[in-house]
Amino acid sequence: MSDLILHHYPNSPFAEKIRLILGYKQLPWKSVFIPMIMPKPDLTALTGGYRKTPVLQIGADIYCDTALICDVLEQLAPMPTLYPGATTGAAQIVAQWADSALFPVAMAYNFQPAGVAQVFASTPAEGVQAFVADRAAMRGGAPRMSSTDAAATYKSYLRRLANMLEGQNFLFGAQPCVADFAAYHPLWFTQERTPALATIFDDTPEINAWMARMHAIGHGSHSPMRGEDAVQVAHTDTPAALQGEVFQDEHGIALGSPVVIAADNFGLEPTEGELVAATHSRYTLRRTGDRSGTVHVHFPRVGFTLKKVSP
């Protein structure tokens, strides 16, 4: 198998989710640091437009969105599992809630003035302004929740998680699952990147103990890699053969059609390519670029839109 290459940056909460899963599954990986804001020339050479963090690369296969990356890592290393038997559906629902509801609330809380001062302590004012503008563009102009409202909601969410942890070490039992990794990463940012605001955990000791257990998992074995080298890996490799079911038609769009895929609510940059698979859980586009060569770019169905390119 080709190396697992993670395109990420240290402060990315969603990247922390995947770094920790790689450690949990004891999968060695290559670490490619990408910029926090656009432009991201090496990353978008591989994805064709998608710019959210992280992205997992395996040879000439590019996997977007952490929900899909979790599935890919589970297939590569089924044990220890992310999906605990009879509670798999519930764990996935909690994970989706954490990514789509808990995360934005936590980050609205984290980016109040005391948090911003810690995250950007060594960043010049123009760098902070560029970050704010970049994230506003990713939200498509949608307003961010106020830090006051976010604090109240965050506390409610923490109490719910604490309730799930009563009498057990992790959210669904004795071992961590996909729900734990998804719920942990926005709280990690509060604790590790904006510690001045971590007093919000004081009323939920179950959360503090659980976070210590999650932190102890670590990131496993990894080594640095340059972005241009990762692009060259894609160029010299070929995408893996598509396995099993490749087409479940929900749009009336035939395989082989030119299409555009984009996230449905945040980070709306589109990726255009040839639709070569549309399974029950993912889309795959074939793209060819001067730098990347021919690659397959994979997206989950949930959270993304598929449209045919108009002639």
Side-chain angles (χ1 to χ4, degrees):
M1 183 186 73
S2 299
D3 289 332
L4 302 179
I5 303 171
L6 190 69
H7 298 259
H8 66 122
Y9 57 86
N11 276 353
S12 166
F14 278 97
E16 180 65 13
K17 173 184 175 181
I18 300 303
R19 292 187 293 251
L20 214 58
I21 291 173
L22 287 162
Y24 182 56
K25 289 184 171 290
Q26 299 183 19
L27 289 166
W29 53 285
K30 301 289 187 181
S31 170
V32 174
F33 284 161
I34 61 176
M36 289 178 62
I37 64 174
M38 293 293 278
K40 303 183 180 187
D42 294 327
L43 180 70
T44 53
L46 294 169
T47 67
Y50 180 87
R51 52 75 51 95
K52 292 197 287 185
T53 306
V55 165
L56 179 68
Q57 176 186 354
I58 306 176
D61 285 275
I62 314 300
Y63 298 94
C64 303
D65 194 88
T66 59
L68 176 56
I69 293 171
C70 287
D71 290 348
V72 171
L73 296 180
E74 181 78 1
Q75 292 169 3
L76 293 175
M79 298 301 293
T81 184
L82 297 176
Y83 304 112
T87 58
T88 293
Q92 289 177 310
I93 288 171
V94 171
Q96 186 177 4
W97 163 81
D99 287 346
S100 61
L102 173 61
F103 171 78
V105 165
M107 298 310 285
Y109 171 80
N110 293 333
F111 276 88
Q112 60 185 281
V116 170
Q118 291 193 307
V119 173
F120 296 105
S122 59
T123 305
E126 57 270 24
V128 179
Q129 293 169 358
F131 177 84
V132 171
D134 181 83
R135 291 309 189 265
M138 289 186 74
R139 294 195 305 273
R144 182 189 290 276
M145 178 185 287
S146 74
S147 60
T148 303
D149 290 335
T153 305
Y154 199 5
K155 289 175 182 176
S156 293
Y157 287 170
L158 291 173
R159 288 192 294 268
R160 294 178 188 179
L161 291 170
N163 179 260
M164 294 180 69
L165 290 164
E166 289 182 8
Q168 58 188 23
N169 284 341
F170 298 99
L171 294 176
F172 283 85
Q175 302 297 326
C177 67
V178 67
D180 293 275
F181 294 101
Y184 173 76
H185 71 84
L187 280 60
W188 163 85
F189 194 94
T190 306
Q191 186 177 68
E192 299 292 330
R193 297 300 188 258
T194 61
L197 304 177
T199 54
I200 197 168
F201 302 131
D202 288 351
D203 292 335
T204 50
E206 301 92 344
I207 293 290
N208 279 318
W210 167 74
M211 290 182 70
R213 288 189 287 270
M214 294 297 294
H215 178 80
I217 293 170
H219 298 162
S221 174
H222 54 94
S223 57
M225 186 180 210
R226 299 188 308 166
E228 54 264 42
D229 292 336
V231 175
Q232 185 60 34
V233 166
H235 193 278
T236 57
D237 210 334
T238 56
L242 297 169
Q243 302 292 327
E245 174 204 8
V246 296
F247 191 47
Q248 177 176 312
D249 184 15
E250 304 288 352
H251 297 80
I253 300 175
L255 294 183
S257 299
V259 298
V260 170
I261 291 178
D264 61 11
N265 64 359
F266 183 74
L268 305 178
E269 290 82 1
T271 295
E272 184 173 336
E274 177 192 353
L275 183 67
V276 293
T279 75
H280 72 282
S281 61
R282 71 175 72 172
Y283 302 118
T284 300
L285 301 187
R286 180 186 291 120
R287 300 191 69 262
T288 301
D290 292 339
R291 294 187 62 201
S292 65
T294 297
V295 296
H296 282 175
V297 187
H298 308 269
F299 300 87
R301 275 189 183 261
V302 175
F304 288 82
T305 62
L306 174 70
K307 297 180 179 179
K308 190 172 183 178
V309 175
S310 300

